[in-house]
Amino acid sequence: VPKLLLHRLFPKARYSLWVDAKLELAVDPIQILERFLWRKNASFAISRHYKRFDVFEEAEANKAAGKYDNASIDFQIEFYKNEGLTTYSTAKLPITSDVPEGCVIIREHIPISNLFTCLWFNEVDRFTSRDQISFSTVRDKIRSKTNYTINMFLDCERRNFVVQGYHRDLLEHWSPPPPPIITVNTSADTMLSNITPVRKVTARRAKERKSKRHRKVNTGSKD
């Protein structure tokens, strides 16, 4: 997962901003660093999941959606339970969530944040690629030995600086929209209302018209 090892891909970079391919950046990156790192005195920022806060719920959602092999997800969750993983509750405050939305990662490349992402990558490599499941375990292990904190901001804040797009492979498999359907009112009342009424010509009137057409007109002078 390259997004977790950007400090190795770009060893001379001081900051990095990872944005998934399905998103488009809509604001100046400096504004994002100022808002989520510098203003919060943080070296790592990631948005919370828009709906789920608990790792166990996230695991079940991944299984239901077929995101990964169910047996592998179950094995990972059982392993973390033995390591001390518990369901999320208010007892974990000031931690506001155990499940991140990993499509955007904002970070400063310093040793502690580099260590965090390396350990996170190790869990992804060891178990499943669903990085939301392993995030809180790595975070809590580091927090138990240091005062390291992560800025987990609201998902609605993330939507303020990125625009949702679609993966290329999804767009290629989309069929074009169907043509518009034009409805024609074929009811009997409508059809009758559009017909111009025809006058009935009686036999007597037809005879008079015929006689007028054949009447000779005398254009000569009278003696």
Side-chain angles (χ1 to χ4, degrees):
V1 183
K3 66 181 180 181
L4 301 181
L5 301 176
L6 291 181
H7 61 285
R8 294 190 177 184
L9 296 176
F10 306 99
K12 295 184 179 181
R14 184 176 177 184
Y15 296 94
S16 65
L17 171 59
W18 172 271
V19 178
D20 273 4
K22 63 183 178 181
L23 303 176
E24 295 180 8
L25 193 62
V27 303
D28 188 340
I30 296 297
Q31 296 180 5
I32 299 174
L33 295 177
E34 191 278 331
R35 179 177 180 180
F36 297 104
L37 293 186
W38 303 337
R39 191 183 300 179
K40 301 293 184 179
N41 194 26
S43 62
F44 193 99
I46 191 170
S47 65
R48 314 171 201 171
H49 195 278
Y50 70 96
K51 184 178 181 180
R52 293 182 288 276
F53 302 90
D54 184 75
V55 176
F56 295 94
E57 293 181 4
E58 178 66 18
E60 291 302 319
N62 277 265
K63 290 164 57 178
K67 295 294 184 67
Y68 208 86
D69 176 65
N70 289 2
S72 299
I73 294 178
D74 289 337
F75 178 79
Q76 183 177 8
I77 290 297
E78 286 298 321
F79 185 90
Y80 288 161
K81 284 174 63 177
N82 295 331
E83 292 276 303
L85 176 66
T86 59
T87 58
Y88 178 80
S89 66
T90 54
K92 290 189 175 184
L93 291 173
I95 295 175
T96 54
S97 175
D98 282 345
V99 182
E101 187 67 64
C103 56
V104 173
I105 297 177
I106 312 161
R107 55 176 295 210
E108 181 181 6
H109 293 187
I110 60 175
I112 187 65
S113 67
N114 295 344
L115 174 63
F116 170 71
T117 53
C118 281
L119 294 176
W120 191 7
F121 174 81
N122 289 343
E123 295 300 305
V124 171
D125 184 58
R126 179 165 61 157
F127 292 108
T128 69
S129 60
R130 308 309 301 168
D131 48 30
Q132 296 96 332
I133 297 177
S134 53
F135 169 82
S136 64
T137 296
V138 178
R139 178 202 61 193
D140 294 345
K141 283 184 177 181
I142 292 182
R143 288 186 74 255
S144 65
K145 298 180 180 180
T146 67
N147 60 351
Y148 184 61
T149 58
I150 292 175
N151 178 19
M152 295 191 71
F153 52 91
L154 295 173
D155 186 68
C156 60
E157 295 181 89
R158 174 186 63 83
R159 297 173 187 267
N160 287 335
F161 62 85
V162 290
V163 179
Q164 181 73 43
Y166 298 95
H167 287 293
R168 181 184 300 176
D169 57 350
L170 181 61
L171 293 175
E172 290 176 350
H173 289 83
W174 272 2
S175 58
I181 300 175
I182 301 175
T183 58
V184 179
N185 192 347
T186 58
S187 63
D189 294 339
T190 304
M191 295 177 66
L192 291 175
S193 63
N194 293 330
I195 298 176
T196 304
V198 180
R199 292 183 178 181
K200 292 183 178 180
V201 180
T202 61
R204 181 179 178 182
R205 184 172 297 179
K207 185 176 181 181
E208 291 177 354
R209 288 182 179 179
K210 185 176 180 181
S211 62
K212 288 181 180 179
R213 285 199 301 268
H214 294 283
R215 184 181 299 170
K216 293 183 179 180
V217 179
N218 189 1
T219 58
S221 60
K222 294 182 179 180
D223 294 337

